[in-house]
Amino acid sequence: MNDHPAPTGAAPRPRPLRHVLARRARALTEARWFALSVFTLIIVNAALLGAETYSGLARDWRHGLHLAEHLCLAAFTVEIAVRACAHADRPRDFFRDPWNLFDLAVVACAFLPLVRENTTVLRLLRLARVLRTARFLPQLRIVIVAVARSLPGTVSFLLVGTLLLYVYAMVGWVFFGEANPGQYGSLGRAALTLFLLMTLDGLGDAVHAGLEVSRWSIVYYASYVLIASFVLVNVLIGVVISSLEEARELEREQSPAPDAPSAPVPAPVPDPEADLRTRIAVARKALDDLEAVLPPLLVTRPPDPPALTPSPAPDTAHR
């Protein structure tokens, strides 16, 4: 049996221009030399910003520094444009990335009239460009994400720490306000003193000064150091470490595998007719294989044994 040739499909449609542009721009942004060039540009911009802090260099090389700043701004603008073109086929994904929004805000604000006229704000924006190095350093990006994710736990820690400082500051003002007004003369001074004692700086002098007032001051300082310097600080470290692990998992999920394609491949749409043609072709091939096997089986089959006919019974009537 011969298989019928499958009908040829229609000619593929040309891809839209935005898909071609996105594919080429994505290949450019994913190149290693592109990331290294932008990282070097950020370092150069940071060096220029630091050079402006020296009055002699800023005065002698004023025009050169301004020209270099304009060139850096132009290069950053081209970079953002290329990154935006890489998402031409899916523009929403560009705005879903927080790093893209940060880069776009830093670069776009430099073109605003009010910002360009304010030297202080413009320098702060140029300083913010240095933070863009986290985009190209995965470990630094993980730390920044971990710090951001630990903010809710840090707020709870600050609330508990504030309550603890308030209680111990009031107790310190009651017991040591008259004997040591420089450190416990008011609630604010007592809180500042206890905040510095949280780092165990000057703890020995504070304990000796407290013992001159009352022996029970050792209980006051010991309990405060135990709760503030050991319990609360360890809780804060635990919150940060937990957020760091979450940030690593998030970075591992978002970063593509080395052999994985950069863009998700759409799943093929099943074609019922093609599936039916495939099944028919498989069935025909099975029949052909069966026909090729049957003749040898018929030839090599042993002949059937002759049928046994019953012998006639002897005629006893003539005996």
Side-chain angles (χ1 to χ4, degrees), residues 80 83-84 87 93-106 135:
I80 293 298
R83 292 191 182 277
H87 296 79
D93 293 347
F94 177 81
F95 296 98
R96 290 175 181 175
D97 190 352
W99 292 107
N100 289 335
L101 296 178
F102 176 75
D103 296 344
L104 182 62
V106 170
R135 185 187 188 102

Side-chain angles (χ1 to χ4, degrees), residues 292-313:
V293 173
L294 283 178
L297 291 178
L298 295 177
V299 172
T300 58
R301 183 178 179 182
D304 297 336
L308 297 177
T309 57
S311 60

Side-chain angles (χ1 to χ4, degrees), residues 149-217:
R149 295 180 69 89
S150 64
L151 287 180
T154 305
V155 171
S156 301
F157 168 81
L158 291 177
L159 292 177
V160 176
T162 302
L163 180 61
L164 180 69
L165 278 178
Y166 177 79
V167 172
Y168 272 85
M170 289 298 298
V171 174
W173 174 77
V174 171
F175 285 99
F176 310 113
E178 296 181 359
N180 193 356
Q183 294 181 345
Y184 294 94
S186 63
L187 179 62
R189 291 184 178 182
L192 179 60
T193 302
L194 293 175
F195 181 78
L196 296 177
L197 288 179
M198 190 180 296
T199 62
L200 304 181
D201 184 19
L203 178 62
D205 297 336
V207 172
H208 286 297
L211 288 176
E212 296 178 358
V213 178
S214 174
R215 293 182 178 181
W216 291 100
S217 62

Side-chain angles (χ1 to χ4, degrees), residues 164 200 220-234:
L164 180 69
L200 304 181
Y220 171 80
Y221 287 110
S223 61
Y224 174 76
V225 170
L226 181 63
I227 297 175
S229 297
F230 292 97
V231 177
L232 286 183
V233 173
N234 288 331

